[in-house]
Amino acid sequence: MLVGASANKTGTLQLAGGSTHVYSNMTVGFIACTSTGIVTVANFGYLYVTNAAGTAVLEVRSGTFTLNTFGTVKVDKFVMTNSCASFIRTGGALQATTVVLDPARDDDGDGMSNGYEQAYGLDPLNAADANVDTDGDGLSNLQESLAGFNPTNSAARFRITSIATTAGTNVTVTYLGASGDTTY
């Protein structure tokens, strides 16, 4: 299935109720960013891009793929590596066996790169996980990402390991940071 995959064209698919099954591949947009594909799955709409061999691919090349409340997308392999492609999620369920994204991008706009989220088992297409404290250490996943910590390891966090007064009014603070002990 091709949606807006011809140069200089726009294609639209809206699934608001009912279901669509694609047994091979679905391409949204054109790799050269000269067309726009617009796909919206919402309101009990179901999109299945799957087959028995587990090789069906949904690739968003340019344009927008939107998953709204009560929409469901199930796919064997979801690919979105092109800079002119975007994924918008305001609810719904995405089930993908394999997800291939540009690791430097932040496709869900939550402040954490795709690569960081995938490295630690977070969902790079769901902004809600930024505010979750996966390891229960009191820091959100976003805070741990910004500090350079592993969000699944409660022992990996910023903490002061010692404070000492030296030579008069000088204070030495030693803390454990993302790269190890640092003293100031």
Side-chain angles (χ1 to χ4, degrees), residues 81-105:
T81 57
N82 209 0
S83 63
C84 50
S86 65
F87 182 88
I88 299 169
R89 185 177 194 170
T90 60
L94 173 65
Q95 301 169 11
T97 304
T98 304
V99 176
V100 179
L101 302 171
D102 179 339
R105 287 181 43 161

Side-chain angles (χ1 to χ4, degrees), residues 9 13 19 39 41 43 47 57 66 72 80 117 123 129 141 149 157 159 161 164 166 175:
K9 301 291 182 185
L13 172 65
S19 63
V39 175
V41 182
N43 300 327
L47 173 62
V57 177
T66 303
T72 299
M80 189 170 71
E117 291 196 64
D123 186 346
D129 63 3
N141 293 333
F149 292 117
R157 66 182 187 278
R159 62 182 176 267
T161 56
T166 59
Y175 65 89

Side-chain angles (χ1 to χ4, degrees), residues 137 139 144 147 149 154-160 173-178:
D137 65 359
L139 296 175
E144 300 223 34
F149 292 117
S154 62
R157 66 182 187 278
F158 175 83
R159 62 182 176 267
I160 294 174
V173 177
T174 303
Y175 65 89
L176 181 61

Side-chain angles (χ1 to χ4, degrees), residues 17-164:
S19 63
T20 297
H21 297 263
V22 178
Y23 298 104
S24 59
N25 298 327
M26 179 175 178
T27 302
V28 179
F30 191 65
I31 199 73
C33 301
T34 59
S35 70
T36 303
I38 301 168
V39 175
T40 303
V41 182
N43 300 327
F44 300 102
Y46 297 87
L47 173 62
Y48 301 96
V49 183
T50 62
N51 60 33
T55 58
V57 177
L58 166 57
E59 183 174 4
V60 182
R61 294 179 174 175
S62 63
T64 305
F65 191 100
T66 303
L67 179 58
N68 287 332
T69 303
F70 304 116
T72 299
V73 176
K74 184 174 182 180
V75 60
D76 293 332
K77 185 175 185 178
F78 182 87
V79 177
M80 189 170 71
T81 57
N82 209 0
S83 63
C84 50
S86 65
F87 182 88
I88 299 169
R89 185 177 194 170
T90 60
L94 173 65
Q95 301 169 11
T97 304
T98 304
V99 176
V100 179
L101 302 171
D102 179 339
R105 287 181 43 161
D106 176 14
D107 284 315
D108 58 8
D110 63 1
M112 299 182 289
S113 72
N114 296 336
Y116 178 85
E117 291 196 64
Q118 288 184 303
Y120 294 111
L122 304 176
D123 186 346
L125 297 173
N126 185 357
D129 63 3
N131 295 320
V132 174
D133 178 9
T134 299
D135 59 9
D137 65 359
L139 296 175
S140 72
N141 293 333
L142 176 58
Q143 290 169 323
E144 300 223 34
S145 169
L146 294 172
F149 292 117
N150 176 343
T152 64
N153 179 355
S154 62
R157 66 182 187 278
F158 175 83
R159 62 182 176 267
I160 294 174
T161 56
S162 70
I163 300 175

